[in-house]
Amino acid sequence: MKANVWHGKGDMRVEKVPDPRILNPRDAIVKITSTAICGSDLHLYDGYVSTMEAGDILGHEFMGEVVEVGSAVKNLHAGDRVVVPFTIACGNCFFCQRHEHSLCENSNPNAWMAEKMWGHSTAGVFGYSHLTGGYAGGQAQYARVPYADAGPLRIDDGLDDEQVLFLSDVLPTGYMAAENCNIQGGDVVAVWGCGPVGQFAIQSAWLLGAERVIAIDRFPERLAMARDWSRAETLDYEAVDVADALRDMTGGRGPDACIDAVGMEAHGSGVLATYDRIRQMIRLESDRPMVLREVLRSCRNGGTVSVPGVYGGFIDKLPMGSVMNRALTLKTGQTHVQRYLQPLLERVRRGDFEPQRLVTHRLPLDDAPQAYRMFRDKQDGCVKVVLKPWLH
Ligand code: NAD
Ligand code: ZN
Ligand code: ZN
C-alpha cells in the first residue's frame, strides 16, 4: 500500500510499504477513505518529538471502511464505515473505565519509554512516535486498528466523510478544552490559536454557556474564520499586547477561562521568544511556552487555564508563582476521544457543529509532503487539509 512516511525533520515521503495485517484478535483492518493533517503532526514534521524513527508511518486522524476483523471483534463487520479515535484504548482498564481513554494502561507497548520521560506512561497513539507505542498511522491506504471492538465509531447514516472525520481528534479536542474550563453562565473565555483546535474550542465554549469568547492569532484568514464562523471577538497578537487588551476588555479582571490551543511551537517576538528559540535549538528546552506563559498571566484570579496544545517535555520560566498565588486551576491532557464520539456525533447530526466547513484543501495522499508544508506555513489560506488515499 501507499503511506506517508517520516524520514527526518521536514522529510516526509509517500512510499510503498507492506499492507498491515491482523496481529491480535481485537484488531481490525480499515481501508482509509479520508485522513487529515493535525497541528500535532507539525511537531513531528519540525522534529520536536523524540523517538521518531525513519520509516514511521504518520497520521492519526482517519476514517474508512472495515475490510477485515480479528476473531474477538463482534460489533464490526467488513463493509462497516468507521471513524477511528486517535487515542488507542483497551476499554477495560482502570482509566478506560473512568472514560479517561488517553491514559489507557494497556495500549502502549513502549510504556517504559514514556515512564522514563514523564514518570508514568499514557495510552498509545497512531503515528505518533515510539514513546506512544510506535503504531503505524493513518496517512495511508490501510491501517491496523487495535481494540477495534472498543474504539471506532460506526457511521450508519448518510453523513459525508468530512462531516465526521474530525470526530477522530480536533472536534473532541476543542470540545474537551472548553469543557475543562468549567464554564459558568456569564463567563468570558479567551482562546489562543485559531487553528482547527481553536475554532472548535471557541464553538464549544458557546455551546457550554460562555457569554463572550475572544480569540487570538495573527493570520487574517484564521482570525476571519474565528469571527465569521466561530463568532468570536478577535485579537491580532502582532497588533496589540494581548494581556493588556484582555484586561481592558474584561474591566481589569481578566478572562474567567483561558485556552492554550497553540502548544509547543508558539510563535513570538522579543527577548523571551529568542531565549526559547535558542534553548529549543540546542535542546536545553524541548518546547517554546510563549503562549502558555501569556495564558497563565492573563487569566483572572481563581480562573481556569485549559491546555489542549501539546507539550512534549520540559520548559523554562513558567510563572508558577502566578499559578499558585492567584489560585489558578490548570486542566490539560491528550483528548479522551472515545468519551466524546457518540455525543458529538449527535451534535453534528443536530447541526450544532458543521465540521466540514473547516476544510480548506483536499488533496491526494501522494501530495502529503507538499500539504504538510502548506499547512505548516499557512500558505494559500490553509486551515485544514484532507488527504484522499485512493485519489490520484
Ligand atoms: P495549528 O498549527 O493549525 O494552529 C495553531 C495556531 O496557533 C496557528 O493558527 C498559529 O498562528 C497560532 N499561534 C502561534 N503562535 C501564537 C501566539 N503566540 N498567540 C496566539 N496564537 C498563536 O494547530 P491545531 O491543529 O489547531 O492544533 C493546535 C494545538 O493543539 C497543537 O499543539 C496540537 O498539537 C494540539 N492538539 C492537541 C490535541 C490533544 O489531544 N490535546 C489534539 C489535537 C491537537
Ligand atoms: Zn491530532
Ligand atoms: Zn484501557
Side-chain angles (χ1 to χ4, degrees):
M1 67 161 183
K2 274 196 290 198
N4 185 34
V5 175
W6 191 89
H7 280 275
K9 185 178 163 182
D11 183 4
M12 302 193 165
R13 304 175 205 163
V14 176
E15 293 176 341
K16 285 264 181 204
V17 300
D19 287 358
R21 288 181 302 114
I22 299 275
L23 299 180
N24 294 304
R26 294 178 68 188
D27 287 351
I29 302 295
V30 172
K31 178 179 176 182
I32 297 165
T33 52
S34 296
T35 176
I37 307 177
C38 177
S40 301
D41 291 323
L42 297 179
H43 311 322
L44 308 175
Y45 186 49
D46 294 334
Y48 292 124
V49 177
S50 61
T51 73
M52 286 297 290
E53 290 174 15
D56 287 349
I57 298 173
L58 295 157
H60 59 267
E61 295 185 345
F62 60 97
M63 63 177 297
E65 187 189 314
V66 174
V67 289
E68 197 185 342
V69 294
S71 58
V73 180
K74 303 295 181 204
N75 60 324
L76 292 179
H77 301 94
D80 285 348
R81 209 169 146 229
V82 288
V83 175
V84 180
F86 82 85
T87 39
I88 301 172
C90 77
N92 301 325
C93 72
F94 174 82
F95 290 107
C96 285
Q97 300 236 316
R98 294 158 58 107
H99 305 287
E100 294 173 327
H101 298 90
S102 74
L103 304 174
C104 175
E105 293 178 309
N106 286 322
S107 61
N108 184 358
N110 297 333
W112 65 272
M113 286 190 196
E115 283 164 7
K116 223 162 117 184
M117 180 94 165
W118 296 326
H120 295 269
S121 178
T122 61
V125 173
F126 289 101
Y128 215 75
S129 87
H130 291 261
L131 202 61
T132 53
Y135 289 98
Q139 286 164 8
Q141 288 181 311
Y142 295 95
R144 178 178 74 93
V145 177
Y147 304 118
D149 54 334
L153 173 72
R154 208 171 64 212
I155 306 289
D156 295 321
D157 46 20
L159 294 166
D160 294 337
D161 275 21
E162 288 175 15
Q163 287 176 285
V164 292
L165 171 61
F166 305 130
L167 289 167
S168 62
D169 181 351
V170 283
L171 177 52
T173 296
Y175 191 86
M176 182 166 124
E179 202 178 60
N180 274 342
C181 292
N182 188 25
I183 296 170
Q184 310 292 311
D187 275 1
V188 180
V189 179
V191 180
W192 278 251
C194 298
V197 172
Q199 301 292 338
F200 288 134
I202 300 166
Q203 295 175 18
S204 302
W206 289 124
L207 290 169
L208 293 170
E211 171 108 2
R212 232 175 134 184
V213 186
I214 304 165
I216 302 136
D217 207 301
R218 77 179 157 129
F219 291 99
E221 66 280 7
R222 288 177 178 229
L223 288 167
M225 197 181 239
R227 271 192 307 274
D228 303 341
W229 182 39
S230 303
R231 296 183 297 114
E233 297 166 65
T234 56
L235 294 174
D236 174 350
Y237 67 85
E238 291 195 315
V240 297
D241 180 283
V242 173
D244 286 351
L246 289 173
R247 194 175 294 127
D248 290 348
M249 292 166 90
T250 54
R253 190 178 284 154
D256 300 284
C258 292
I259 298 178
D260 170 357
V262 180
M264 64 162 83
E265 291 187 72
H267 162 267
S269 54
V271 178
L272 260 186
T274 311
Y275 173 89
D276 284 331
R277 250 195 318 275
I278 293 170
R279 306 248 326 159
Q280 193 180 39
M281 215 183 309
I282 56 178
R283 300 197 180 274
L284 282 176
E285 188 178 35
S286 54
D287 309 20
R288 299 198 296 265
M290 289 297 294
V291 162
L292 187 56
R293 291 190 196 108
E294 193 165 78
V295 165
L296 291 171
R297 293 176 57 85
S298 301
C299 192
R300 77 150 160 83
N301 287 357
T304 301
V305 167
S306 162
V307 185
V310 163
Y311 291 88
F314 302 90
I315 57 180
D316 286 0
K317 307 216 181 298
L318 193 76
M320 195 58 205
S322 180
V323 177
M324 188 273 156
N325 288 288
R326 302 195 306 105
L328 299 182
T329 298
L330 181 61
K331 300 270 281 179
T332 183
Q334 296 281 358
T335 305
H336 306 303
V337 179
Q338 284 82 342
R339 184 204 284 180
Y340 298 98
L341 287 173
Q342 202 61 51
L344 290 182
L345 175 64
E346 291 311 315
R347 282 196 181 270
V348 170
R349 280 212 184 95
R350 284 208 301 270
D352 288 349
F353 291 104
E354 299 177 297
Q356 68 279 10
R357 292 179 63 183
L358 186 67
V359 182
T360 51
H361 293 77
R362 298 165 184 85
L363 294 165
L365 177 67
D366 299 308
D367 294 346
Q370 298 91 296
Y372 266 78
R373 201 170 318 122
M374 176 175 67
F375 176 53
R376 182 194 58 191
D377 300 340
K378 280 86 182 167
Q379 294 161 351
D380 196 30
C382 182
V383 178
K384 192 73 177 174
V385 191
V386 172
L387 298 169
K388 293 290 197 181
W390 298 91
L391 205 74
H392 297 289

